[in-house]
Amino acid sequence: MGQIFDTYMTSRAMPFAEQVAERYDFSRVDTLVDVAGGKGHILAAVLHANPRMRGVLVDLDHVVPGATAALTAQGLMERCEVLAGDFFAQVPAGFDAYLLASILHNWDDQDAERILRRVREAIREDGRLLILEMVLPDEDEPHVGKDMDMRMLALFDGGTERTGQEYSVLLEKTGFRLTEVFDLSAGASLVEAVPV
């Protein structure tokens, strides 16, 4: 089951990796922490596009060997660190930016708040939080994410896609302020938030 999930997450991340690297201005970011980043496809794309940047990938123990191998194959381990960790317990502290890619939609609001609070404890006061998810429209209009919303509910007990307003509320509850939403392809968005 773990290998199936890993394959799914890899295929989900790959189409957005280059878009994140191209659409977001990482010029103010010295180190990006990819929280639960799997094999690091998005982190790798960002690091390739920003040669002076360093990366940290944190994920569960059993994910670390695969992430290390993938980032080594990309020639990035001189600028990268792979750490074992659980985002419900602790996130590596003191870095410029933190990425949560396809993470929060797996969890209900209570657990999503727990994850965001761990990031808030870790992030620098001038840092940036980046959330890659499908952001549903606030109004009742068609969106590909509404189909995914039903799938998340069925597959992950309490998993959900959220509207921009719901993300704004979730972020405010956990010590962040939503600053910008960048539209990507296939209904995905990159949400930027800052600590308050």
Side-chain angles (χ1 to χ4, degrees):
M1 187 67 168
Q3 187 170 1
I4 293 171
F5 182 76
D6 182 50
T7 301
Y8 166 73
M9 291 304 289
T10 295
S11 64
R12 183 173 169 82
M14 290 182 74
F16 302 118
E18 296 298 330
Q19 292 181 59
V20 171
E22 291 169 3
R23 292 273 292 135
Y24 189 77
D25 179 8
F26 285 95
S27 61
R28 299 167 294 166
V29 177
D30 291 325
T31 304
L32 174 65
V33 180
D34 191 352
V35 179
K39 292 186 177 176
H41 295 290
I42 296 174
L43 180 61
V46 172
L47 290 175
H48 282 306
N50 297 274
R52 65 172 190 79
M53 186 189 297
R54 296 190 58 79
V56 177
L57 188 144
V58 58
D59 212 316
L60 297 173
D61 287 331
H62 71 274
V63 178
V64 167
T68 302
L71 291 166
T72 299
Q74 294 257 6
L76 292 169
M77 281 308 291
E78 288 186 3
R79 294 194 288 135
C80 233
E81 187 176 4
V82 180
L83 304 174
D86 177 352
F87 53 50
F88 284 122
Q90 187 176 13
V91 173
F95 295 102
D96 303 314
Y98 290 75
L99 172 66
L100 294 170
S102 299
I103 302 299
L104 296 179
H105 75 158
N106 293 337
W107 306 96
D108 63 20
D109 284 353
Q110 183 177 358
D111 284 332
E113 286 178 27
R114 289 173 60 204
I115 296 165
L116 288 168
R117 286 196 177 96
R118 297 297 81 77
V119 176
R120 182 62 183 90
E121 291 165 1
I123 197 170
R124 289 172 33 171
E125 290 304 313
D126 61 348
R128 295 286 184 273
L129 168 62
L130 302 173
I131 300 169
L132 174 61
E133 296 284 3
M134 289 192 173
V135 178
L136 303 179
D138 291 316
E139 305 302 324
D140 185 18
E141 57 189 78
H143 190 277
V144 66
K146 292 185 177 182
D147 176 66
M148 182 62 78
D149 186 35
M150 297 303 293
R151 293 171 192 261
M152 296 309 297
L153 183 61
L155 293 172
F156 298 93
D157 185 25
T160 184
E161 305 295 347
R162 296 175 173 88
T163 66
Q165 180 59 31
E166 288 170 329
Y167 271 111
S168 184
V169 169
L170 193 62
L171 288 162
E172 285 176 13
K173 284 182 177 180
T174 54
F176 290 98
R177 176 173 55 86
L178 191 155
T179 51
E180 195 163 356
V181 178
F182 302 86
D183 291 332
L184 306 178
S185 67
S189 297
L190 186 68
V191 177
E192 179 196 62
V194 296
V196 293

